Amino acid sequence: MTLALVAAVTAIGTYAVPAGAGQRLFADAAQFAAGATAALICLATGRERTGPRRRWRLLIGTGLAGFAAVRLWWIVADILDPARPVAGRLGDVGFLVLPVFAALALIAGSMALPRPVQASLRRDRVVLVIDSVLITGSLLALAWSALPGRLFDEGGEKPWVVGFAAAYPVADLLIAVMVLLLLATRPASRAARVPLRLTALAMLALGVSDTLRLLHLSSGGLTPVESAGYLLGPALLGLAAISNPGLGDPRIAERAEADWLHLLLPYVPVVATGVVIAVRTGAGGQLTSYEAYLGWLGLGLVVARQMFTIVDNTVLLARVSEGQQRLHHQAYHDPLTGLANRALFRERLVLALDAYRHRGVPVALLFADLDDFKLINDSFGHAMGDRVLRAIGDRLVAAAGPGALVARLGGDEFAVLLEHRTADAEPAGNRILAALREPFVIDDHTVGVSASLGLVLPEPGDADLSADALLRRADAAMYVSKRRGKNALVRYAGGADGGPNADLPHLLARALSGAPAAAGFEVYYQPIVRLTDGAIVAVEALARWTDPVAGPVDPDVFVTVAERTGLVAAIDDFVLDRACADASALANTYGRPIDMHVNVSAARLGQHGLEEAVAQALERHNVRPSRLVVEITETRRIPDMPRAIEVAERLRRRGVRVALDDFGSGYNALAQLHSLPVDIVKLDSTLTDVDVSPERAGALCRSVLAICAELGIAVVAEGIETPARARALAALGCHLGQGYLFGQPGPVHRLAATIPAQSAPHHPSHLAS
């Protein structure tokens, strides 16, 4: 439609308007109307937008307004002096307003386009201008020899006339080159490139008419056809302004041009110009002063461009170096605390042991595991737990002293490497214990933390001791501290093959790899009673371990080790199989078949293998599924809750009941009660101390009992140690209980058929029925 309109106006000017002053007046009026209309369009659309999209439209609109103002001045001049010469006047310099503002608009709009090299915006703008001038100068040098010689003669008489006339097409060429550079080096969506293409076409149309005007300086004015570019150029700029995406509104980027194009494109015309000049001079030709000036200008621009390239490379190398340093730091440091991580600690430990073997440099290793840190996460949330870990890291660094390498190995485990300071190893450990005993005050919350520490020093005969072996010894010594009551420092005292500080994870793996019973594993049973009459209705199967090397190992300790080393499933399967094997012995002890509760790690509920293990144990020992209760012991979050729900449902369809253990502690709470299909809830001892805190604990216990009653879930109260607590729970409506009051865990051959008389709860008459 735009082309049709321009063609119609051109045809009117050519055929309907008489040649001479009338035709010139018509052309000037049409060009004024085109420029003014396009200016109004650009200014109006610019006011409706923001950012670069607004700025480039307003700049183009201002340039078009200058174009229209000069045409208006020509109209006035045509009316006042119809016989005025066609050659330009000093006032025609106003025509340069449009190219200048068009260049500024492109620079402003380019800020929103994707950049091939991420540098400063100011640098990008300067490079865009240098590249555009460099290419334009090279193209002018190539075209200079094609210009008519009479232009030079006339330029000698009226240099400013030729200068102004030549400035218009040169400026148009510069803008067109700038647009082409943006199209070639700035990846953008196809829609976002539309305004750039329209701008390039507009500059081409203006440039054609300006070039024809330059060639007709001495022969007269332009015909309407030759001056059609002055109509088409503003019209295309107006279309660019109303195009929807806008110059600064790139959508999803298309495939970016190759990086080399951005670097080489400015030099292609320079090389071509150099070749042409070399050929001419080699053939005996002479360079004109204009060509020489252009050559020096090009050389200066190339030098400037190379300086920017050098700066780019320097900045890029600095960023690469900074990125490598950042990646190196991330690879060797804990992101939460900023301490060294396991990888860096192991590397430093290997170097320290190498120095110990070859130069006798003393080395010591401290291994720290926070005691019951899970309770902090459960009580205050993981965000608070992370802040406490950061504060712990700071205290460890301060307590370890200068020269020590403090690392967070993972979770709540820390390690300290001491070189040249083995005499300070034990005092450093004691300083760490003392530092951690001081409460942490965070957001008005007082948090107490303690740690179990293991200390190990290489022995004189340990010439081939590896870093992993030393870490295992420190870990083993730390577990001895756990077994002794936590919050203490224990030095590794065993030899390379065992002793009281033997490598617990290694011993546990060895015990579970073969026959666990032969390695000291056995199953103890604790009775679950009916509180109304003290009758034993079920037993809970519990794993116990007495290692031939390490001796008796506390269940909390070896279960924690098993969870960390991925061995907990082997313990679960051993207890499950042994409980089913003891089913007949339990029936003989109590004179009837009795239910068996077997603990299963919550993590296994969402993994493969649990259902198969249950089915095989029941079939192998011919036990009815209804006699088995799988207790979900959730020391960690269930990783895949939907799958866990499916597994629990399939177990229940098989006839096996599902219990939620330690309800009210850890992760076992109302969310799990709502999500998991369970038959029994075992109240944690923190909710059953109703005799100590009858109001608060009683209210909580009563609420849980009411919820479970509504859901048809049986409730077992754990941790009952006194008759008073048993009576209080029975009065609240809890029918089942478990605790030391009714018997400590023991092997099947030591179980009593009934609980001792002094342990049986005494009930009011209305509860005895």
Side-chain angles (χ1 to χ4, degrees):
M1 181 177 178
T2 302
L3 292 175
L5 184 61
V6 172
V9 174
T10 303
I12 293 173
T14 302
Y15 301 108
V17 179
Q23 195 174 69
R24 187 172 61 187
L25 178 62
F26 176 83
D28 292 341
Q31 292 163 19
F32 164 75
T37 303
L40 291 174
I41 291 174
C42 292
L43 295 174
T45 55
R47 293 179 56 127
E48 298 173 357
R49 289 166 170 79
T50 59
R53 292 183 296 172
R54 174 189 179 91
R55 287 194 294 272
W56 81 262
R57 285 176 169 84
L58 293 180
L59 289 169
I60 288 288
T62 303
L64 287 168
F67 175 89
V70 174
R71 293 301 179 189
L72 181 61
W73 178 76
W74 272 21
I75 292 172
V76 174
D78 289 339
I79 295 174
L80 298 178
D81 185 10
R84 69 178 180 86
V86 178
R89 302 181 180 181
L90 189 61
D92 292 353
V93 71
F95 279 130
L96 293 176
V97 171
L98 178 57
V100 169
F101 277 88
L104 295 176
L106 288 172
I107 293 172
S110 67
M111 292 189 298
L113 292 173
R115 295 176 288 162
V117 177
Q118 293 300 316
S120 68
L121 291 175
R122 178 180 297 177
R123 176 263 177 207
D124 278 352
R125 291 194 290 266
V126 173
V127 169
L128 176 63
V129 173
I130 289 178
D131 289 347
S132 301
V133 174
L134 182 60
I135 295 175
T136 302
S138 301
L139 295 176
L140 287 176
L142 289 174
W144 192 261
S145 60
L147 293 175
R150 54 186 168 76
L151 288 178
F152 303 104
D153 299 335
E154 187 172 348
E157 300 175 0
K158 298 180 180 180
W160 65 272
V161 173
V162 177
F164 283 146
Y168 305 144
V170 170
D172 297 333
L173 178 61
L174 177 65
I175 304 305
V177 168
M178 190 177 295
V179 174
L180 294 176
L181 276 175
L182 291 175
L183 286 171
T185 61
R186 299 293 182 90
S189 67
R190 185 169 301 175
R193 297 163 76 94
V194 170
L196 286 173
R197 293 192 178 108
L198 290 173
T199 303
L201 292 175
M203 290 299 109
L204 179 62
L206 291 170
V208 169
S209 293
D210 283 335
T211 302
L212 293 174
R213 183 169 179 268
L214 174 64
L215 298 176
H216 287 76
L217 277 179
S218 58
S219 61
L222 300 178
T223 66
V225 174
E226 293 172 335
S227 62
Y230 296 133
L231 298 174
L232 187 59
L236 291 173
L237 290 176
L239 287 177
I242 63 176
S243 59
N244 191 33
L247 184 59
D249 186 24
R251 303 302 168 97
I252 300 174
E254 298 175 344
R255 182 183 63 85
E257 299 290 342
D259 292 339
W260 57 264
L261 182 62
H262 167 259
L263 298 174
L264 296 182
L265 186 60
Y267 301 106
V268 172
V270 175
V271 174
T273 302
V275 171
V276 172
I277 292 176
V279 171
R280 284 185 58 191
T281 54
Q286 295 291 327
L287 292 178
T288 65
S289 59
Y290 296 102
E291 292 172 332
Y293 294 150
L294 287 174
W296 283 110
L297 174 63
L299 179 61
L301 291 173
V302 168
V303 172
R305 185 65 174 84
Q306 285 300 111
M307 291 181 62
F308 274 101
T309 302
I310 293 173
V311 171
D312 283 344
N313 292 337
T314 304
V315 172
L316 181 60
L317 289 175
R319 289 180 178 176
V320 169
S321 177
E322 180 184 350
Q324 289 176 338
Q325 293 176 0
R326 184 167 57 252
L327 289 175
H328 184 273
H329 186 274
Q330 292 174 352
Y332 286 100
H333 289 81
D334 175 56
L336 178 62
T337 62
L339 301 175
N341 62 9
R342 183 180 289 273
L344 177 58
F345 189 82
R346 190 180 184 283
E347 284 189 10
R348 289 284 300 274
L349 183 57
V350 169
L351 295 175
L353 287 174
D354 186 69
Y356 167 76
R357 283 191 294 266
H358 295 91
R359 300 191 302 274
V361 178
V363 60
L365 174 62
L366 281 165
F367 190 96
D369 186 271
L370 303 180
D371 298 327
D372 304 317
F373 190 77
K374 174 178 171 292
L375 296 178
I376 295 177
N377 285 330
D378 295 341
S379 302
F380 299 100
H382 288 274
M384 174 67 79
D386 289 345
R387 297 178 65 183
V388 173
L389 285 173
R390 284 192 288 267
I392 289 172
D394 295 338
R395 288 196 187 179
L396 288 176
V397 172
L405 176 65
V406 180
R408 181 182 179 221
L409 303 185
D412 54 3
E413 297 176 346
F414 296 84
V416 181
L417 177 62
L418 300 168
E419 299 180 76
H420 308 280
R421 297 171 47 199
T422 54
D424 187 46
E426 197 158 337
N430 291 324
R431 289 197 301 270
I432 289 173
L433 289 175
L436 294 181
R437 289 189 187 111
E438 290 292 326
F440 294 86
V441 180
I442 300 177
D443 291 342
D444 298 328
H445 295 289
T446 301
V447 181
V449 176
S450 66
S452 298
L453 272 63
L455 169 64
V456 62
L457 288 81
E459 300 296 332
D462 292 333
D464 297 328
L465 185 66
S466 67
D468 291 334
L470 198 67
L471 275 169
R472 285 198 301 268
R473 290 187 182 183
D475 190 55
M478 180 273 297
Y479 277 114
V480 174
S481 173
K482 294 277 191 188
R483 294 202 300 270
R484 293 180 181 176
K486 306 178 181 179
N487 194 22
L489 170 67
V490 171
R491 178 171 176 173
Y492 184 83
D497 298 325
N501 298 124
D503 182 354
L504 198 58
H506 176 70
L507 293 177
L508 183 62
R510 186 171 63 183
L512 295 172
S513 62
F521 269 96
E522 54 186 330
V523 175
Y524 279 24
Y525 299 93
Q526 186 176 30
I528 298 173
V529 306
R530 190 165 53 229
L531 295 181
T532 54
D533 56 8
I536 297 175
V537 297
V539 292
E540 180 178 1
L542 303 167
R544 294 294 183 265
W545 183 34
T546 303
D547 186 78
V549 176
V553 184
D554 186 87
D556 288 340
V557 174
F558 73 74
V559 169
T560 301
V561 175
E563 288 180 336
R564 287 170 43 192
T565 56
L567 298 172
V568 71
I571 298 178
D572 290 346
D573 291 347
F574 167 75
V575 175
L576 175 63
D577 186 76
R578 181 51 59 91
C580 291
D582 290 340
S584 60
L586 291 168
N588 292 333
T589 298
Y590 296 110
R592 66 187 186 284
I594 198 165
D595 295 343
M596 298 169 298
H597 290 231
V598 176
N599 291 298
V600 171
S601 173
R604 292 199 67 197
L605 207 57
Q607 299 172 354
H608 295 284
L610 176 60
E611 294 176 82
E612 292 78 2
V614 169
Q616 291 171 8
L618 293 173
E619 183 179 357
R620 184 184 302 116
H621 303 288
N622 195 26
V623 176
R624 291 172 56 190
S626 60
R627 290 299 174 193
L628 179 63
V629 179
V630 173
E631 290 191 9
I632 301 170
T633 305
E634 194 172 7
T635 54
R636 298 186 180 181
R637 289 188 184 275
I638 297 176
D640 188 350
M641 180 60 76
R643 176 168 173 79
I645 294 172
E646 293 177 5
V647 172
E649 288 284 11
R650 287 197 292 268
L651 287 174
R652 296 180 73 209
R653 286 197 295 268
R654 187 185 294 270
V656 176
R657 284 172 290 170
V658 177
L660 203 58
D661 195 17
D662 298 327
F663 184 84
S665 70
Y667 301 108
N668 276 337
L670 289 176
Q672 267 69 358
L673 188 62
H674 171 73
S675 302
L676 285 172
V678 298
D679 304 280
I680 300 171
V681 162
K682 301 188 74 175
L683 293 183
D684 187 73
S685 58
T686 57
L687 293 180
T688 60
D689 56 348
V690 293
D691 54 330
V692 178
S693 178
E695 294 183 0
R696 186 176 184 82
L700 289 173
C701 188
R702 190 182 300 109
S703 299
V704 174
L705 288 169
I707 293 173
C708 291
E710 288 289 332
L711 298 175
I713 298 174
V715 177
V716 178
E718 295 181 308
I720 301 177
E721 299 181 357
T722 64
R725 181 170 299 183
R727 290 193 296 270
L729 288 167
L732 289 174
C734 183
H735 304 298
L736 302 174
Q738 179 182 356
Y740 282 0
L741 174 66
F742 310 117
Q744 296 190 11
V748 66
H749 62 271
R750 291 214 306 259
L751 291 178
T754 59
I755 62 172
Q758 64 270 21
S759 300
H762 300 282
H763 315 283
S765 58
H766 68 279
L767 291 175
S769 56

